[in-house]
Amino acid sequence: MTNKSSAQQFEGAGTQDRNLAMELVRVTEAAAIGASEWVGLGEKKIADGAAVDAMRGFLHTVHMDGTVVIGEGEKDEAPMLYNGERVGDGLGPKVDVAVDPIDGTSLTAMGYNNALSVMAVAERGSMYDASSVFYMEKMVVGPEAADMVDLRLPVKQNLQLLSKALNKKISQLNVCVLDRPRHKGLVREIREAGARVKFIMDGDVAGGIAAARHNTDVDILLGTGGTPEGIITACAIKATGGMIQGRLAPVDDEERQKAIDAGHDLDAILTTDDLVATQNCYFAATGITDGDLLRGTRYSSNRIETQSIVMRGESGTVRLIEAEHRLTKWKKDN
């Protein structure tokens, strides 16, 4: 008997493969609920710890043989969900796993919008190695403009092309940008082109996916953010038909040399397929606080309400999932 490749295992899983989507949502729901108890309390480390504990507990029930390739850090820095940790029940398809129990820890601690619990899964060996350079320049758009804009073009020209693709005036375009001092010049270029800037405090996974979705007020995401978040976003982009482009952005000479030693071309434009080299991938997220993408987790006297999104690259399916969790059952099970 010949052994099946990871791709064959993943592709041939049929109904079990599709069921993986719902299993992943259970994981992000658990992490979001764990974090939600700390919203607005100013304790981002405690909130993150609660989300990590909840996510890890549910991950080990998922029918997959997973290896964390984007996690909370190396083993000596993060005792759970560290890079290289095996997750899942070990019986399903062999997959890479990228997790972010809270995309937006500061948002959660301060009670601000757009905090999510997110994770992505793709067949083994298909996720880009983000270990050498932490930041990259990014551009994310939806399917209408996917073949028109290019990160190498000037900002003004990209916005003109986006305006044409969306059939909107430039003055009507909303450009999502992380509110960071490094983006001062970018913001000036956007405004000089006549477009509007929509700042986000943290969590550019939510911003990137909002840019790629048709029912949000974000038309494009621009700026420099985390490389790991870019890879997670790329898994979602596979389902929407949108586009993410990236270019590695070392912060100093040491990181630049590390990237060169790892064989990376620092001038290369990384495409969606470079970041995730397969259609066999999933993205799942659950809202912690209200945001552009999802409603936050809410409590009543006897239940917890969550809103999640799950995307499957192979089928191009995007599902919004509303769930009610009986409070007594949740506390008992956890």
Side-chain angles (χ1 to χ4, degrees):
M1 180 182 293
T2 58
N3 292 326
K4 290 184 177 182
S5 68
S6 296
Q8 288 173 321
Q9 287 180 336
F10 213 11
E11 178 66 24
T15 301
Q16 291 182 356
D17 184 21
R18 289 189 290 273
N19 288 344
L20 182 58
M22 291 305 300
E23 293 191 65
L24 298 181
V25 169
R26 291 178 62 246
V27 174
T28 57
E29 284 175 347
I33 292 172
S36 67
E37 296 186 13
W38 297 94
V39 169
L41 296 180
E43 298 285 356
K44 68 178 186 178
K45 288 185 178 180
I46 297 176
D48 191 51
V52 169
D53 288 344
M55 177 171 275
R56 188 171 185 262
F58 274 77
L59 261 176
H60 286 295
T61 70
V62 177
H63 187 62
M64 65 182 183
D65 181 1
T67 300
V68 176
V69 297
I70 297 174
E72 291 292 282
E74 301 299 332
K75 188 173 183 178
D76 58 348
E77 295 292 335
M80 293 190 294
L81 298 182
Y82 56 85
N83 297 348
E85 182 176 357
R86 299 289 292 275
V87 294
D89 65 6
L91 301 176
K94 298 181 183 297
V95 295
D96 288 344
V97 178
V99 299
D100 196 349
I102 302 180
D103 180 45
T105 52
S106 295
L107 302 178
T108 301
M110 300 303 294
Y112 293 147
N113 286 356
N114 285 316
L116 301 173
S117 171
V118 305
M119 69 175 299
V121 169
E123 67 185 61
R124 181 71 52 83
S126 62
M127 288 188 181
Y128 185 79
D129 181 3
S131 60
S132 58
V133 180
F134 186 77
Y135 289 105
M136 71 176 184
E137 299 174 60
K138 300 176 192 176
M139 172 188 288
V140 183
V141 295
E144 297 85 356
D147 296 326
M148 296 184 68
V149 297
D150 193 300
L151 189 58
R152 290 164 288 201
L153 297 175
V155 170
K156 183 176 182 179
Q157 187 174 350
N158 274 321
L159 293 178
Q160 289 171 338
L161 292 169
L162 181 64
S163 171
K164 182 178 180 181
L166 298 180
N167 194 27
K168 295 173 67 172
K169 296 178 180 179
I170 291 181
S171 61
Q172 296 173 329
L173 296 178
N174 288 319
V175 184
C176 186
V177 179
L178 273 171
D179 188 6
R180 299 289 187 273
R182 62 177 177 266
H183 289 148
K184 183 178 180 180
L186 171 63
V187 169
R188 183 175 61 251
E189 288 186 76
I190 293 168
R191 289 174 172 163
E192 287 177 352
R196 299 180 289 192
V197 175
K198 181 181 177 66
F199 282 117
I200 53 174
M201 303 262 318
D202 207 348
D204 68 351
V205 172
I209 296 170
R213 293 272 286 147
H214 62 86
N215 57 350
T216 75
D217 67 347
V218 176
D219 297 303
I220 184 172
L221 177 135
L222 290 173
T224 300
T227 304
E229 287 82 358
I231 297 166
I232 292 173
T233 302
C235 281
I237 299 299
K238 291 279 186 170
T240 69
M243 178 275 287
I244 178 171
Q245 288 184 349
R247 180 163 48 200
L248 297 177
V251 296
D252 53 32
D253 290 340
E254 181 180 354
E255 193 174 54
R256 176 177 292 274
Q257 189 59 50
K258 185 179 178 182
I260 293 171
D261 292 343
H264 295 306
D265 180 355
L266 296 179
D267 294 321
I269 297 298
L270 301 171
T271 67
T272 311
D273 288 337
D274 291 324
L275 296 174
V276 183
T278 180
Q279 290 295 320
N280 289 331
C281 58
Y282 292 91
F283 170 88
T286 301
I288 299 171
T289 60
D290 289 345
D292 295 310
L293 190 64
L294 294 167
R295 189 182 67 241
T297 299
R298 296 178 180 177
Y299 287 77
S300 67
S301 60
N302 61 0
R303 68 183 182 276
I304 308 169
E305 298 177 2
T306 57
Q307 186 179 56
S308 304
I309 191 168
V310 60
M311 305 182 179
R312 186 179 180 221
E314 186 65 35
S315 61
T317 305
V318 178
R319 289 185 172 91
L320 287 171
I321 299 172
E322 307 267 354
E324 293 184 3
H325 314 263
R326 282 183 59 189
L327 193 58
T328 54
K329 291 281 188 180
W330 178 262
K331 294 297 184 182
K332 180 180 179 181
D333 292 341
N334 293 277

